[in-house]
């Protein structure tokens, strides 16, 4: 079955950038929509961004103007470009993608740490 593999996390200083990737393990199954969620230490999981099958994107208030969500159809991969990172962005990021009849899948989660 299709799986989502996340990569691109790490440790950066405030003001830095990271680019997270969310790649489907099998190209047979096409992503219809992708969303990203953030879970800060001790907090609930929060919505970050999403992009639908028509390319329409939406962002959480805390990341507007700083993060950009995108997809590469040829690679069956979703991305989250994270700029001007803040310590508050620290936490685990999860991607979620819909594959039509196959259903939805979650990525394994990836750690992002932003130091002051």
């Amino acid at each position: 079955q299709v799986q989502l593999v996340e990569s691109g996390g790490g440790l950066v200083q405030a003001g830095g950038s990271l680019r997270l990737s969310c790649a489907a393990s099998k190209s047979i199954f096409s992503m219809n929509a992708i969303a990203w969620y953030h879970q800060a230490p001790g907090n609930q999981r929060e919505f970050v961004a999403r992009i639908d099958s028509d390319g329409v994107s939406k962002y959480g208030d805390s990341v507007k103007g700083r993060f950009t969500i995108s997809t590469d159809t040829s690679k069956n991969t979703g991305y989250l470009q994270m700029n001007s990172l803040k310590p508050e962005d620290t936490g685990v990021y999860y991607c979620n993608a819909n594959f039509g009849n196959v259903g939805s899948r979650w990525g394994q989660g990836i750690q992002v740490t932003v130091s002051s």
Side-chain angles (χ1 to χ4, degrees):
Q1 295 184 332
V2 64
Q3 295 176 301
L4 293 178
V5 180
E6 299 183 42
S7 61
L11 173 64
V12 298
Q13 292 185 332
S17 298
L18 287 172
R19 189 194 193 199
L20 305 183
S21 297
C22 179
S25 62
K26 297 182 179 180
S27 60
I28 296 176
F29 306 105
S30 299
M31 294 180 178
N32 294 324
I34 299 176
W36 290 89
Y37 297 83
H38 168 233
Q39 187 165 13
N43 293 344
Q44 296 182 340
R45 192 172 300 183
E46 298 180 336
F47 169 78
V48 174
R50 73 182 182 201
I51 186 167
D52 64 21
S53 59
D54 295 321
V56 179
S57 59
K58 183 180 178 64
Y59 298 91
D61 291 339
S62 64
V63 305
K64 289 180 179 178
R66 299 190 298 121
F67 292 7
T68 303
I69 188 170
S70 64
T71 58
D72 186 333
T73 303
S74 65
K75 296 181 179 180
N76 211 22
T77 300
Y79 303 96
L80 184 68
Q81 179 66 47
M82 311 166 70
N83 297 328
S84 301
L85 283 163
K86 304 175 180 179
E88 306 93 90
D89 298 320
T90 292
V92 178
Y93 286 77
Y94 299 88
C95 66
N96 181 269
N98 180 268
F99 294 88
N101 293 336
V102 176
S104 298
R105 296 288 188 275
W106 285 95
Q108 81 278 12
I110 191 164
Q111 178 69 38
V112 170
T113 302
V114 184
S115 62
S116 300

